[in-house]
Amino acid sequence: MRLLRHHSSLAWPYLAGLIVLVALPLLGTLWLALTEFSGIVAPRFVGLANFETLIGSDRFWLSLGNSLVYVAIAVPLRLLGTVAFALLLNNRFKGAGAARAVAYLPTVVPDVAYALLWLWILNPLYGPLTAGLEALGASSPGWLTDPWAARFSVAFMGAFQIGEGFVIALAARRSIPQRLYEAAAVDGARPLLILRRITLPLMAPILAVLALRDVLLSFHTNFVPALIVTGGGDPRYATFYLPLYVYQTGFRYGRLGYASAITVAIFAIMAIILVVQYRLLRRWRLT
Amino acid sequence: MAYAAERLPGEEKKGLGGRLSRFLSKGPLHVLLIGLALFWLTPSFGLLITSFRTAADNSESGWWTVFTEPRQLTLEPYKKILANDGLITAIFNTIKITLPASVLVVLIAALAAYAFSWMEFKGREWFFLFVVTLIVVPLQMALIPVARIFGIVNIFGTVTAAIVFHIAFGLPFAIFLLRNFFIGLPHELLEAARIDGASEWQIFARIVLPLGMPAIASLLIFQFLWTWNDLLVGLVFAGENPPITVFIQQQLRQFGANLEVIAPGAFLSMILPLIVFFAFQRYFVQGLLAGSVK
């Protein structure tokens, strides 16, 4: 049954809002990226000079590499946690509501407080993590002094804050019709087979959206930990991520034009990642 | 899996002994779950304890020392922070921003997602692709230019500015998510309703909304939490009416790591999101799809 009506006119308020609040500002940043601008004197047009500096800048490539490493560690960890929690806590049992709240709790802790707390947990002298590992007879690396340990620590911190994805994955699991599981039970299918053939494929379209978003967000969410926990990208710039680079360039050194150029570069990189992901999702028929 | 977890009627045992044996028979799983929960709770629990200690204690030793010296615990930090008007105002500002921003995002996104999944119109695919692409726009990119626009229409620094910005940047993801949920709704139901002559509004209100409730509830919790936790937008746009996250951040700036204000402040700010979570999570538990399609 076809219903071709002129519904597209309904979209105009939305489109207008997008243009004013999203598209125009984007052009504004693009323009600033082509200028030298300190925030005090009017911007001076310099063409592509900022981008030339950017390509030759070691700090840019360093922070990009660090950000990619962060995404590569944090996103799989977070997705795994999201799916595992959604499946575990989907069942009805006594205290399920409380258990779901526990899963969700770390996400509600404000970022600054959360970062300060981890600073204590990762403390090499009195921290409970080091103490716990030593009690088990294992030695622990200097969590915030060894470059790779610091990279993992920051990613690990982020892996606790998955409450948002968790509620959505839970809803996705809930939307799978119960009759499929009943039919599988009648056929005597094993849990692993049910997981592979029913649960995961039917949750896939939603998990795909979550993964896509998580990759993009992970380029930004490491700002507060990098600022507070590793004190601005230490040790030896191992946690010097892109947002920190933008922040330092723009707000500490007052080079707003160059900072805009970095932002535009990040945007371009994320756009490429989005297109690749979206293509893959299309090919797998997930969207 | 959910099926296997439900108890069969004959298995029901009464009394403590029965309960205990049932608990032990599922022992390994329970131990695992409880262990995981404890592990998961550690950071938040640490924050809770920290919020009941004095500044001096917090600078000298970690929160876990209360297990050996429980006398450290005190209500002082809470008394002090509740005497501070700034915090209460900040919590109210957050509520004023978060409630309209999350409800409007969910409402608009539900309508748009319905159109993208179940109505045919010219350019639907392209328009949807455009919406998806917008997810990629980092909100940092729009801050300075939007601040100028808000200055022109004279809402800069107000709660409204933060709300409008949150809605604009919340919508692309919300639409994408709900559309992927709605497209999985049973085809037969919607077709049947159309054949029976139901209008689009009726189909949306009577079929899509109730069936999509788990998705809508989860999006609402999601958006609520996202807006509630936001620091950047509040910092830039609602400067004169700082939300709670900005208030906590300011404590950090002014006095170094001011944990005895930050920890109780953080805990007070966590209460409402948890209430929202408890209030809406029951929508996941009801299996709304059960029985609607044979």
Side-chain angles (χ1 to χ4, degrees), chain A residues 117 119-123 125-129 131, chain B residues 42 45-46 49-50 53 58 61-69 72:
Chain A
L117 200 79
L119 201 54
W120 268 110
I121 293 180
L122 296 169
N123 187 305
L125 287 179
Y126 339 99
L129 193 59
Chain B
T42 311
F45 181 70
I49 304 245
T50 304
R53 297 170 81 221
N58 277 330
S61 57
W63 49 267
W64 47 91
T65 53
V66 292
F67 294 119
T68 47
E69 298 167 53
Q72 293 174 4

Side-chain angles (χ1 to χ4, degrees), chain B residues 106-134:
Chain B
V106 171
L107 204 68
I108 300 172
L111 288 167
Y114 173 67
F116 279 127
S117 45
W118 296 104
M119 285 159 75
E120 286 179 36
F121 54 87
K122 229 174 156 185
R124 187 174 84 165
E125 292 304 307
W126 283 106
F127 196 19
F128 183 64
L129 189 68
F130 176 62
V131 172
V132 174
T133 319
L134 286 174

Side-chain angles (χ1 to χ4, degrees), chain B residues 176-288:
Chain B
F176 189 19
L177 181 82
L178 282 187
R179 184 257 189 192
N180 269 21
F181 265 113
F182 287 175
I183 217 156
L185 290 178
H187 216 258
E188 307 90 320
L189 267 181
L190 281 96
E191 300 283 304
R194 279 184 185 162
I195 290 167
D196 289 347
S199 72
E200 296 291 343
W201 279 108
Q202 282 171 325
I203 297 175
F204 177 74
R206 303 255 175 89
I207 299 175
V208 174
L209 271 192
L211 286 184
M213 214 48 213
I216 289 169
S218 72
L219 179 66
L220 190 73
I221 298 179
F222 178 99
Q223 191 63 35
F224 185 92
L225 186 58
W226 179 248
T227 321
W228 188 276
N229 280 348
D230 156 76
L231 173 66
L232 192 59
V233 176
L235 199 61
V236 175
F237 292 122
E240 293 142 44
N241 305 281
I244 178 80
T245 45
V246 175
F247 177 82
I248 292 174
Q249 158 95 356
Q250 284 167 350
Q251 302 306 311
L252 186 73
R253 283 246 187 92
Q254 288 169 1
F255 316 104
N258 200 356
L259 253 183
E260 76 282 2
V261 183
I262 291 171
F267 243 90
L268 290 175
S269 88
M270 286 161 65
I271 295 171
L272 207 68
L274 282 177
I275 293 175
V276 168
F277 179 76
F278 272 116
F280 281 89
Q281 76 147 340
R282 69 195 173 92
Y283 289 104
F284 306 128
V285 183
Q286 301 162 348
L288 279 160

Side-chain angles (χ1 to χ4, degrees), chain B residues 4-19:
Chain B
E6 272 157 33
R7 265 184 259 123
L8 297 171
E11 209 186 1
E12 190 79 32
K13 284 186 199 161
K14 294 271 153 78
L16 189 68
R19 246 190 241 166

